[in-house]
Amino acid sequence: MNDAQRLVDLIPRLRRYARALVGERSTADDLVQDTLERAWSKFHLYRRGSDLRAWLFTVMHNVHVNRVRARRPTDPLEEEMPELALRAPQGDGLLVRDLERALERLPAEQREVLLLVSLEEMTYEEVARTLGIPIGTVMSRLSRAREKLRIMMLGLPASAKLKVVK
Amino acid sequence: MAEMSAELPITEADLQAYADGRLAEARRAEIEAWLASRPEEAERVEAYRRIHEELRAVYDPVLQEPVPERLHAAAAHPRRRLGRYGVAAAWLIAGLATGAVAGWQLHERRVAVPPPVAETPNFARRAAVAHATYSPEVRHPVEVGADQEDHLVAWLSKRLGAPIRAPKLDAVGYSLVGGRLLPGESGPVAHFMYQCSRGTRVTLYLRTEPGNNRETAFRYAREGNVGVFYWVDRRMGYALSSADIGKDELLNVANAAYRQLNP
């Protein structure tokens, strides 16, 4: 399979991750597009035979960090989550939005780790390599991300919990 | 985590790995036993597992969504996008790789034709200056907007004395903002502006060429921070400029424009 085809095959996964990372669909697709374009311009840096998926997620991480930094002069990756309790939702239509909003409130660095583990099912070692951080940092970010989400989700009435279709 | 021996104390990392179902059987059983006598911790870990499932339930459907064309285009290597121009593109890539001038012939039968009028760097330079002048403009980037495209094209065709067209670049992510008339070295010039969803702009500079040049060569020039791909086809000279996108993406846009303007 050639490189372009492998990239094409990975688009749905890049989109899933990007959607969870930045929320809005067109912004997420912009991130994917920038990632693919950057991947081509940096393709000479990709080591043949190594995991293309992990490399692409590294590229996306870099693109995302640059975009966020360009948007806001302060460093939002270091920002702590505001101490806000989630408002109880007013109707069932908000179920998905609640998770999205809770995710949005995580610091980006914690969100990335959580999403690579949960959505991409990367091993903790793969996450560490992809983001270029020590594995201990992966574990502490994962733990903090989940604990914050848990507390935010606790603010919701039980009936508002998302139903998972098995 | 999986290798931890039975004597190791249970850490937060163990609980995360347990919630992710990533522990070896023996260790998993130890954690289970530990949690059995700690209902609060057990509930917390259960919540983590639920969060995991909810994330999958909310975001996995994205995998099934149709992929937008612009992402397909971005994933396709320039070599593939070019289709029948693949050979020429390979020359270009080889040229870029060696840092050589990115001059290449689109049609083999035109290889031997003498250099085109537009090879004078003046043409590319003027296009770059026009780009640098108008593309940062927020309130008045164009004289006539894309909402009056018919009028715009008819007006510019009349002034240039040749039928011109504003190529549709939506397939490569750029939509027409509008256009304006500019003074050129030897007569009026048409200037179309395009913008992508991220606000990045490219401009297409068109002028009539004296004589009947059969030549169609793609050439790349850089003027300050503005990159320009330019080419000539018969009576028209074209230059596509941008300050914000890389050479590869600009080439992609130039190819899309070329295919429509020089079918």
Side-chain angles (χ1 to χ4, degrees), chain A residues 4 8 12 15-16 19 25 29-30 33-34 37 40 100 117-118 121-122 124 143 146-147 153 166, chain B residues 12 16-17 20 22 48 53-54 56 59-60 63 65-66 68 70 72 74-75 77 80 197-198 249:
Chain A
V8 168
R15 293 184 79 209
R16 173 178 63 176
R19 190 79 57 86
R25 178 196 295 242
D29 282 345
D30 285 350
Q33 184 171 350
D34 284 358
E37 285 164 2
W40 275 123
E100 287 176 347
V117 169
S118 300
E121 303 208 334
M122 282 191 185
Y124 306 138
S143 167
R146 282 188 168 142
E147 186 57 11
M153 303 306 263
K166 300 278 182 192
Chain B
E12 183 60 31
Q16 299 300 328
D20 285 326
R22 296 183 183 191
Y48 294 165
E53 286 174 352
E54 292 180 1
R56 299 302 294 254
Y59 293 106
D60 278 359
L63 295 174
E65 289 178 12
R70 64 179 172 123
H72 263 297
H77 193 278
R80 283 174 55 78
S197 58
R198 287 164 287 155
E249 185 177 348

Side-chain angles (χ1 to χ4, degrees), chain B residues 81-82 85 92 104 106 167-169 172 174 202-204 216-220 227-231 238-242 245-262:
Chain B
R81 278 198 292 257
L82 285 165
Y85 302 132
L92 174 69
W104 56 300
L106 277 164
K168 301 240 176 291
L169 302 177
V172 286
Y174 288 84
V202 299
T203 56
L204 182 65
T216 303
F218 250 16
R219 288 182 187 272
Y220 182 75
V228 187
F229 271 104
Y230 59 103
W231 69 98
Y238 303 93
L240 186 79
S241 311
S242 177
I245 60 178
K247 196 190 259 183
D248 289 351
E249 185 177 348
L250 188 60
L251 172 62
N252 185 37
V253 180
N255 266 303
Y258 174 86
R259 280 195 294 267
Q260 290 181 45
L261 296 167
N262 317 61

Side-chain angles (χ1 to χ4, degrees), chain B residues 6 10 12 21 27 40 47 52 58 66 78-79 84 86 99 115 118 129 138 166 206 229 241 247 249-250 252 263:
Chain B
I10 284 159
E12 183 60 31
R27 188 63 174 165
E40 273 189 20
H52 179 93
V58 169
R79 197 189 307 241
R84 66 196 176 100
V129 169
V138 176
L206 293 84
F229 271 104
S241 311
K247 196 190 259 183
E249 185 177 348
L250 188 60
N252 185 37

Side-chain angles (χ1 to χ4, degrees), chain B residues 82-165:
Chain B
L82 285 165
R84 66 196 176 100
Y85 302 132
V87 173
W91 291 7
L92 174 69
I93 289 157
L96 295 178
T98 56
V101 178
W104 56 300
Q105 311 297 327
L106 277 164
H107 297 284
E108 283 174 56
R109 63 188 169 84
R110 291 179 181 168
V111 166
V113 174
V117 176
E119 210 169 44
T120 151
N122 262 347
F123 177 51
R125 191 173 304 131
R126 281 181 165 263
V129 169
H131 180 85
T133 305
Y134 293 108
S135 65
E137 190 62 50
V138 176
R139 293 193 60 188
H140 307 293
V142 294
E143 278 177 290
V144 180
D147 53 332
Q148 300 175 67
E149 187 178 340
D150 289 346
H151 165 68
L152 171 67
V153 170
W155 168 52
L156 293 174
S157 296
K158 186 163 176 244
R159 293 304 310 273
L160 268 68
I164 64 165
R165 286 191 295 150

Side-chain angles (χ1 to χ4, degrees), chain A residues 150, chain B residues 31-47:
Chain A
R150 185 180 75 90
Chain B
I31 308 282
E32 229 154 52
W34 186 84
L35 287 173
S37 59
R38 293 169 180 82
E40 273 189 20
E41 294 292 292
E43 197 179 309
R44 179 163 73 91
V45 171
E46 179 50 33

Side-chain angles (χ1 to χ4, degrees), chain A residues 2 9 12 24-25 44 54 58 63 70 74 76 86-87 92-94 97 101 115 126 144 149:
Chain A
N2 66 39
D9 291 346
E24 205 259 325
R25 178 196 295 242
H44 57 285
T58 301
V63 170
T74 56
L86 263 195
R87 218 160 25 84
D92 287 350
L94 295 172
R97 296 261 302 280
R101 262 186 288 158
L115 295 176
E126 281 173 330
R144 271 185 263 146
L149 279 187

Side-chain angles (χ1 to χ4, degrees), chain A residues 56-142:
Chain A
L56 275 180
F57 278 95
T58 301
V59 172
M60 184 178 270
H61 164 70
N62 293 335
V63 170
H64 181 58
V65 168
N66 288 339
R67 288 168 67 116
V68 170
R69 291 223 168 105
R71 223 172 21 244
R72 292 189 284 177
T74 56
D75 188 355
L77 292 181
E78 307 304 326
E79 267 173 28
E80 269 303 296
M81 180 189 70
E83 297 294 323
L84 290 171
L86 263 195
R87 218 160 25 84
Q90 302 301 306
D92 287 350
L94 295 172
L95 296 182
V96 170
R97 296 261 302 280
D98 291 330
L99 182 63
E100 287 176 347
R101 262 186 288 158
L103 263 185
E104 264 174 39
R105 291 191 180 172
L106 294 181
E109 53 183 22
Q110 292 176 21
R111 192 163 55 223
E112 282 184 312
V113 170
L114 176 69
L115 295 176
L116 289 177
V117 169
S118 300
L119 299 182
E120 279 304 306
E121 303 208 334
M122 282 191 185
T123 66
Y124 306 138
E125 289 82 359
E126 281 173 330
V127 174
R129 275 200 303 276
T130 298
L131 299 178
I133 54 178
I135 190 157
T137 308
V138 169
M139 298 317 293
S140 64
R141 286 182 186 174
L142 180 63

